Amino acid sequence: MGNHLLNTSHPYAPQTSQSSSLRDNNSAGDLPEPVLPWLKSESRQSLRSQSSSVDTSGLHTVKRNAITSAQQGTKKKRWTKHKWWMLLSNTLLFCYGLGTLLLAFLTFFKFYLRADVMVVGERTIVNLILATGAICLFTSIVGYVGIMLNNRAILTFYNLLLWPSFGMIAAIGYTAYRRNKWNLEGKLSYQWHYDLTADGRARVQANLHCCGYKSFTDYHERSNKCFPRTLLPGCKFKYQNFTREALTITWIVAFSMIPIHLFVLFSALLCSNHINRKFGKGLPPKLYRLDYQGIVAGTPTGSSVVLHTAGLQQRHQ
């Protein structure tokens, strides 16, 4: 009886053939076969034959593709040459915009010797310089935002702002050139006698160390240095020489900035649409767009016709 119980195979007892196959699999470096006590020996044989006939090349392919996609995700994206070129041109705009704005502030706050004469005598040109510097600096900041964010809508607004900047630079040059070339002496004489206030004439006299326009008796403003027996000359010669020199430098610098600004403008026009590697609006070509007529619905209710009609309506919108 005891021998009969020992010889009877228990359904949960491990099989010797299975143990040998486990050792063979482990020696070959594969994963061990799982113990499935609820299956009969015939079922185990059929399961083993099925597992041996499975082609695992697809698994390796999926794994390889997954690694490749992960590597592509961690790959550093490089800037395009158009983005570098646009960054360089926008930096030029930032530099001369900041310089122009600083020059206007230095003039208004009298940080150089003849600044007060410029504020009194050439107030229009100083205001134009201030406005030009502010517009160019603001435009360059908008450009930096659009370049760093790869935002083509912001870059479109940036391209529009470059045109008022161009107009302001040209206005400075034209105003200074026109004032300097045509009858500057008559313009300054009319300005001294009719346009300048008493405070303006006093400030010019104090800065240029003169008294009156031609002499003491010609529209002078009394001060501790300007009186009837003063030795100071009239302001006509000094005022004309300074104004002519300042206007000449102004229109030369302004007209010299125009080619630089045109370089910035055309660089922005040509490179804004290539700020990244995205083509156009990111839409697929017409050849690869979805054709609603080829979609067949899986229901017998005629929904494919409805879907086709909706697709055509959406396409024609």
Side-chain angles (χ1 to χ4, degrees), residues 88-109:
L88 173 64
S89 63
N90 191 67
T91 303
L92 285 177
L93 175 64
F94 177 81
C95 290
Y96 65 75
L98 181 62
T100 306
L101 189 64
L102 287 177
L103 177 62
F105 282 136
L106 291 176
T107 304
F108 276 112
F109 290 106

Side-chain angles (χ1 to χ4, degrees), residues 84-144:
W84 282 109
W85 188 266
M86 195 170 178
L87 184 66
L88 173 64
S89 63
N90 191 67
T91 303
L92 285 177
L93 175 64
F94 177 81
C95 290
Y96 65 75
L98 181 62
T100 306
L101 189 64
L102 287 177
L103 177 62
F105 282 136
L106 291 176
T107 304
F108 276 112
F109 290 106
K110 305 173 187 177
F111 274 89
Y112 57 92
L113 182 61
R114 303 301 183 203
D116 206 14
V117 181
M118 284 295 298
V119 173
V120 173
E122 305 300 331
R123 187 62 177 258
T124 303
I125 294 179
V126 175
N127 289 336
L128 283 175
I129 293 173
L130 177 63
T132 303
I135 292 175
C136 290
L137 190 63
F138 175 74
T139 304
S140 66
I141 294 174
V142 172
Y144 278 128

Side-chain angles (χ1 to χ4, degrees), residues 132-173:
T132 303
I135 292 175
C136 290
L137 190 63
F138 175 74
T139 304
S140 66
I141 294 174
V142 172
Y144 278 128
V145 173
I147 292 170
M148 295 305 170
L149 297 180
N150 295 333
N151 193 313
R152 299 185 183 185
I154 297 178
L155 290 177
T156 303
F157 184 60
Y158 166 71
N159 279 277
L160 291 176
L161 287 176
L162 287 173
W163 290 101
S165 303
F166 172 74
M168 294 298 293
I169 295 172
I172 293 174

Side-chain angles (χ1 to χ4, degrees), residues 237-275:
F237 179 75
K238 290 184 177 181
Y239 191 40
Q240 285 183 5
N241 285 346
F242 170 76
T243 304
R244 181 174 286 107
E245 182 180 356
L247 291 176
T248 302
I249 295 174
T250 301
W251 70 259
I252 289 176
V253 173
F255 286 150
S256 300
M257 288 173 59
I258 288 180
I260 302 175
H261 192 79
L262 287 176
F263 166 75
V264 175
L265 196 149
F266 284 111
S267 297
L269 287 174
L270 295 175
C271 298
S272 293
N273 207 32
H274 305 280
I275 196 67

